[in-house]
Amino acid sequence: MVLQFPTSQAELIKRARGEKAQSAFAKELGVDRTCLSRYESEKLGAPTKVLNYCLRAIAAHGDRTYGGDRPVEQALEHVRQAADFLERATRSDT
């Protein structure tokens, strides 16, 4: 089954979390579980660090999750590059 790439913050975070419990994934992200819940419900915008982590997690598992389609592989490579760029930009702003 080939899945569509997430198009919202909620989809992105939930896809990256997968079967993990919210508390376990929140700990992995370095945030409180209630904060993760607000990110997933889109009541609170997730910081770049969290979004980048989720993008990387999805990109790392892309070949299994998305069926290895060449266009999807290219899109995931763009995501990896964008996540790296955003991470560098965030570090340079501080």
Side-chain angles (χ1 to χ4, degrees), residues 21-93:
Q22 270 189 338
S23 57
F25 194 60
K27 185 175 182 179
E28 197 174 305
L29 291 171
V31 301
D32 187 74
R33 190 212 54 83
T34 58
C35 196
L36 176 61
S37 176
R38 285 183 271 157
Y39 296 156
E40 286 188 356
S41 65
E42 295 188 350
K43 292 179 181 174
L44 182 65
T48 305
K49 177 182 172 183
V50 169
L51 298 175
N52 286 346
Y53 185 92
C54 293
L55 287 168
R56 283 193 181 97
I58 289 173
H61 295 90
D63 55 338
R64 287 181 294 166
T65 307
Y66 298 99
D69 268 346
R70 185 69 188 136
V72 172
E73 289 172 6
Q74 290 172 341
L76 289 171
E77 181 55 32
H78 289 291
V79 167
R80 288 182 194 104
Q81 292 172 5
D84 288 340
F85 174 80
L86 288 170
E87 193 66 38
R88 285 191 308 274
T90 301
R91 278 187 254 139
S92 68
D93 287 344

